[in-house]
Amino acid sequence: MAKITAAEVNKLRKSTGAGMMDCKNALVEAEGDFDKAIEILRKKGQKVAAKRADRDSSEGAVIAKVNDDKTQGVIISLNCETDFVAKNDNFVALAKQFATIALNHDSKEDFLNADFGGMTVAEKLIEQTGVIGEKLEIQAFEKVSGPFVGSYIHAGNKIATLTVLSANVEGAEVVAKDVAMQAAAMNPIALDEGGIDASIIEKEIEIAKDQLRQEGKPEAMLDKIAQGKIKRFFKDNTLVNQLFIKDSKQTVAQYVKTIGDVTVTDFRRVALS
């Protein structure tokens, strides 16, 4: 039997993230062959992944990452089964590594096929499933780009947001983050009125009319009153029309204008379900 040194075990552990005993056992089985030991650990991950494929992975870490020149941003969610794993420092570090890689890819499919230390991201997920013993998967992948991109990650890595401003001007970083915090806290369903599907608006109008009928309002007045309620619906549910949480005397759109002729052009919000 090949003699396995502590240095070899440590090297495999750093390369794969697997536990010390798992690494030692894999090296023993591989008779000291490093590459074969990695393959053994991957196969173990595949077996565990197959057994846990139907498990619910509703916990995890949601990470937002922006490139150095603030023109692109990405959000990914690395999901697992338990909050205990989600709070582990190594798990969060892995999620951040994935987010850094995701910045260079425009789709979830391309990202999953990207290189991660000699294997693909998808293969790394399987490997770490074997290491951690829980189902791991990338559930969310959201990418934005624009003149200035800001981000925010809520404490505990449960919610992350990205916002895009129409210009990179002085104060953009603070404003973009403030708007990202707004999106995280207030969960708007769209950027503005134009982003809301017509079917949702029709449904809200019908709900408003039904409520008004129950209140005894005359049928002839329903359309006019319902339109007023829809305006309120837009104010509550579209990002730029919401009252700014740090100063309720102005809307988000008005707050953004305090740094110049700037608008919010896009946003993304990902939260663990």
Side-chain angles (χ1 to χ4, degrees):
M1 183 175 69
K3 181 176 172 60
I4 307 302
T5 67
E8 289 171 326
V9 173
N10 192 45
K11 179 184 176 183
L12 185 59
R13 184 188 65 80
K14 287 183 177 180
S15 177
T16 64
M20 294 293 282
M21 286 307 299
D22 285 336
C23 289
K24 182 178 180 180
N25 292 337
L27 282 166
V28 169
E29 185 179 340
E31 297 182 343
D33 187 315
F34 188 79
D35 291 335
K36 188 175 179 181
I38 290 177
E39 188 62 29
I40 288 168
L41 289 171
R42 286 186 193 172
K43 287 179 178 178
K44 179 190 174 187
Q46 289 170 350
K47 289 177 183 177
V48 175
K51 289 179 181 178
R52 306 189 77 83
D54 61 346
R55 295 295 185 103
D56 179 33
S57 57
S58 58
E59 296 293 341
V62 186
I63 305 295
K65 183 81 174 177
V66 177
N67 65 353
D68 290 340
D69 60 6
K70 310 294 184 183
T71 58
Q72 289 190 332
V74 70
I75 301 175
I76 63 106
S77 69
L78 175 60
N79 287 53
C80 59
E81 296 176 30
T82 65
D83 191 49
F84 176 78
V85 167
K87 291 178 177 178
N88 182 275
D89 289 343
N90 290 334
F91 180 85
V92 175
L94 179 63
K96 290 178 178 179
Q97 286 179 282
F98 281 148
T100 299
I101 295 170
L103 259 179
N104 298 313
H105 299 276
D106 294 327
S107 71
K108 181 177 175 180
E109 183 180 5
D110 286 345
F111 164 57
L112 289 173
N113 288 319
D115 178 71
F116 190 110
M119 65 181 79
T120 67
V121 168
E123 288 170 340
K124 186 68 176 178
L125 287 168
I126 292 172
E127 177 203 82
Q128 290 298 298
T129 294
V131 171
I132 294 170
E134 289 193 7
K135 178 181 178 180
L136 301 185
E137 63 180 334
I138 300 293
Q139 281 199 357
F141 178 98
E142 296 287 346
K143 186 88 179 278
V144 298
S145 61
F148 192 92
V149 178
S151 66
Y152 173 72
I153 303 174
H154 191 61
N157 304 307
K158 303 297 186 184
I159 304 172
T161 51
L162 294 167
T163 50
V164 184
L165 301 183
S166 61
N168 184 355
V169 298
E170 185 177 354
E173 187 158 2
V174 171
V175 167
K177 183 174 182 180
D178 279 343
V179 176
M181 290 176 67
Q182 172 93 21
M186 301 306 292
N187 192 18
I189 63 174
L191 177 67
D192 53 27
E193 300 95 317
I196 299 180
D197 191 271
S199 63
I200 295 176
I201 297 173
E202 290 172 10
K203 183 179 179 181
E204 289 298 321
I205 289 174
E206 285 307 310
I207 290 172
K209 285 183 177 180
D210 285 342
Q211 290 173 341
L212 292 168
R213 288 188 186 101
Q214 291 173 23
E215 293 169 8
K217 295 290 191 294
E219 195 70 26
M221 295 177 59
L222 297 188
D223 281 328
K224 184 176 181 180
I225 301 175
Q227 288 301 321
K229 287 183 175 290
I230 282 298
K231 287 182 180 179
R232 179 67 193 188
F233 175 78
F234 290 151
K235 190 177 184 68
D236 291 341
N237 294 283
T238 58
L239 179 59
V240 297
N241 294 310
Q242 287 179 339
L243 293 178
F244 182 43
I245 53 177
K246 287 189 173 182
D247 179 7
S248 60
K249 293 180 181 179
Q250 58 184 337
T251 65
V252 169
Q254 290 168 337
Y255 167 64
V256 173
K257 289 290 185 186
T258 61
I259 59 171
D261 186 19
V262 181
T263 59
V264 184
T265 60
D266 200 359
F267 83 99
R268 295 288 190 279
R269 181 183 188 275
V270 173
L272 291 175
S273 56

